């Protein structure tokens, strides 16, 4: 769905959520899961996380139509230890599986101080911050990682092994919204790579390699048998390796390099795994965690970092909540057509 076009409609979040729910239901998603996926997508659009807002709807629909994902899957959950939940999403989307396990997660964290949730056989096609914000809103620290489709080469490697493997971290902050960062561990996102290729723009030279393994700033060369690189050289590559180990190895999901949807033309979402770790900071040592984080963040701002992760999102959210979510006429019409 094009993100171009003039902005001339402002939809309340609830209206956009209802419209997206209709699209999911029309494409074979159960009512409960449709509501969860629609809210997730609408929140991304509301907060200006546009790479995972309505832009993704054609991909969701194509993936559902291809039969690669089960929109009616009902996740199964096993208690694998006092603080360990094992979730099989049964080839459904990760978010409904995560939502189902939330009551158990809160119970585990209150009893044990920590919960590790290992979700496998799941499709994640969105940003990670919506998964974590409800935990941080309740005073918990949270960390999540997801594997994807192999398009990132390991350090010094010549072919893709890793997904863009995002990692997100959320912490409560005294008298403020939680601070959440959430980004891919690749040099740039796959979506940005494709946009650059389409528009004929070069990307920074350390971002990828061509089919011969040479550094390349040409997105088309990277897409034709080359690979993206992890951010931050060998350090980012090690973090991406860790994401594979925790989000796929630990959970029992497929590694990014094992995903094969070639028999489902139109499929776009990876069927891999997701790990989420929730920690009660009150179990830590200083008894004043949220105030200490606030103090640290204030020190960081004082030192000159004017924008911290999630600042922009909360500002965008505030505007959307008072004015509505800005959409072009073209985007709105495309959504209405998808909803039938
Ligand atoms: P970005 O490089 O845009 O970085 C996003 C994060 O960094 C946000 O927390 C953002 O805060 C913060 N940030 C950005 N710029 C600044 C700045 N100048 N100063 C301080 N903080 C800053 O993200 P990516 O393109 O790597 O990833 C975008 C999204 O894609 C993520 O939500 C990720 O989860 C998702 N993704 C999902 C995948 C999947 O398989 N499901 C695969 C890969 C990515 P803010 O939000 O406030 O701008």
């Amino acid at each position: 769905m094009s993100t171009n076009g003039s902005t001339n409609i402002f939809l309340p979040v609830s209206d956009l959520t209802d419209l997206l729910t209709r699209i999911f239901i029309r494409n074979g998603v159960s009512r409960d899961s449709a509501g969860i996926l629609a809210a997730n997508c609408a929140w991304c659009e509301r907060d200006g996380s546009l790479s995972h807002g309505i832009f993704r709807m054609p991909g969701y629909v194509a993936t559902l139509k291809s039969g690669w994902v089960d929109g009616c899957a009902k996740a199964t959950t096993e208690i694998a230890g006092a603080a360990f939940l094992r979730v099989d999403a049964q080839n459904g989307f990760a978010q409904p599986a995560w939502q189902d396990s939330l009551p158990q997660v809160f119970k585990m964290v209150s009893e044990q101080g920590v919960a590790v949730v290992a979700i496998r056989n799941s499709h994640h096609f969105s940003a990670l911050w919506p998964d974590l914000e409800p935990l941080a809103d309740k005073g918990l620290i949270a960390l999540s990682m997801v594997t994807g489709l192999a398009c990132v080469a390991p350090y010094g490697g010549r072919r893709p092994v890793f997904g863009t493997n995002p990692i997100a971290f959320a912490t409560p902050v005294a008298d403020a919204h939680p601070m959440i960062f959430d980004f891919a561990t690749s040099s740039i996102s796959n979506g940005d790579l494709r946009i650059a290729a389409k528009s004929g723009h070069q990307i920074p030279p350390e971002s990828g390699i061509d089919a011969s393994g040479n550094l390349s700033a040409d997105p088309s060369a990277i897409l034709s048998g080359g690979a993206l690189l992890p951010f931050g050289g060998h350090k980012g590559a090690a973090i991406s390796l860790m994401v594979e180990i925790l989000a796929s190895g630990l959970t029992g999901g497929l590694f990014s390099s094992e995903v094969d949807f070639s028999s489902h033309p139109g499929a776009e979402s990876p069927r891999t795994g997701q790990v989420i770790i929730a920690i009660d900071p009150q179990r830590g040592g200083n008894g004043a965690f949220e105030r200490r984080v606030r103090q640290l963040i204030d020190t960081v701002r004082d030192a000159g970092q004017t924008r911290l992760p999630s600042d922009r999102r909360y500002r965008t959210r505030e505007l959307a909540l008072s004015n509505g979510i800005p959409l072009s006429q073209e985007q709105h019409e495309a959504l209405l057509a998808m909803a039938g």
Side-chain angles (χ1 to χ4, degrees):
M1 178 177 295
S2 165
T3 50
N4 296 328
S6 58
T7 294
N8 46 16
I9 287 181
F10 291 86
L11 272 192
V13 182
S14 57
D15 286 11
L16 180 60
T17 308
D18 290 347
L19 181 52
L20 299 181
T21 303
R22 278 167 49 202
I23 297 172
F24 281 116
I25 290 174
R26 187 172 190 227
N27 286 282
V29 179
S30 66
R31 190 163 288 278
D32 284 352
S33 294
I36 292 166
L37 293 170
N40 179 291
C41 185
W43 292 352
C44 287
E45 194 68 27
R46 175 200 66 191
D47 280 19
S49 298
L50 298 182
S51 57
H52 292 86
I54 60 167
F55 168 74
R56 290 276 158 169
M57 289 308 291
Y60 274 114
V61 169
T63 304
L64 285 158
K65 283 191 167 143
S66 78
W68 168 242
V69 63
D70 180 358
C72 293
K74 196 83 191 109
T76 54
T77 303
E78 297 165 77
I79 297 177
F84 206 121
L85 264 192
R86 195 190 281 154
V87 181
D88 185 335
Q90 303 284 347
N91 193 31
F93 287 104
Q95 291 85 354
W98 168 234
Q99 193 77 27
D100 271 5
S101 61
L102 265 181
Q104 188 65 47
V105 172
F106 285 122
K107 183 167 181 283
M108 274 181 173
V109 180
S110 78
E111 288 170 3
Q112 309 298 331
V114 64
V116 177
V117 185
I119 306 174
R120 67 182 187 281
N121 208 5
S122 54
H123 296 249
H124 205 296
F125 203 48
S126 186
L128 269 57
W129 64 260
D131 301 340
L132 300 190
E133 197 173 304
L135 299 180
D137 276 341
K138 292 211 177 319
L140 304 180
I141 300 168
L143 186 67
S144 184
M145 295 164 226
V146 170
T147 33
L149 301 169
C151 59
V152 178
Y155 187 63
R158 284 167 174 267
R159 61 186 167 79
V161 174
F162 305 141
T164 51
N165 292 3
I167 182 164
F169 169 82
T171 179
V173 182
D175 305 320
H177 285 298
M179 193 283 291
I180 308 181
F181 71 70
D182 174 16
F183 48 73
T185 53
S186 50
S187 54
I188 66 167
S189 74
N190 211 0
D192 286 344
L193 178 71
R194 283 167 199 282
I195 289 167
K198 214 169 161 189
S199 57
H201 289 131
Q202 301 274 293
I203 56 170
E206 306 294 311
S207 303
I209 52 173
D210 62 21
S212 313
N214 300 315
L215 285 178
S216 175
D218 175 2
S220 303
I222 294 169
L223 285 167
S224 318
L228 283 170
L229 289 173
F231 81 101
H234 66 280
K235 300 182 188 183
I239 292 175
S240 200
L241 178 64
M242 176 190 73
V243 175
E244 292 285 337
I245 292 168
L246 292 179
S248 291
L250 177 70
T251 62
L254 291 177
F255 291 124
S256 301
S257 57
E258 294 172 326
V259 177
D260 178 8
F261 51 35
S262 55
S263 56
H264 292 82
E268 291 188 25
S269 66
R271 179 164 79 210
T272 52
Q274 175 175 19
V275 69
I276 301 173
I277 300 169
I279 303 169
D280 176 6
Q282 300 310 322
R283 305 293 182 113
N286 61 34
F289 178 79
E290 292 191 20
R291 274 198 290 114
R292 292 284 288 155
V293 173
R294 176 60 189 260
Q295 183 188 344
L296 177 62
I297 284 180
D298 288 347
T299 306
V300 167
R301 290 195 200 278
D302 271 359
Q305 181 169 354
T306 51
R307 171 182 170 187
L308 264 79
S310 59
D311 283 353
R312 180 206 56 84
R313 245 181 353 88
Y314 293 129
R315 272 200 309 275
T316 311
R317 179 183 304 183
E318 218 172 285
L319 279 176
L321 290 177
S322 53
N323 302 338
I325 299 178
L327 295 184
S328 69
Q329 186 83 38
E330 181 195 359
Q331 288 172 319
H332 190 221
E333 279 167 10
L335 292 176
L336 290 171
M338 288 165 92

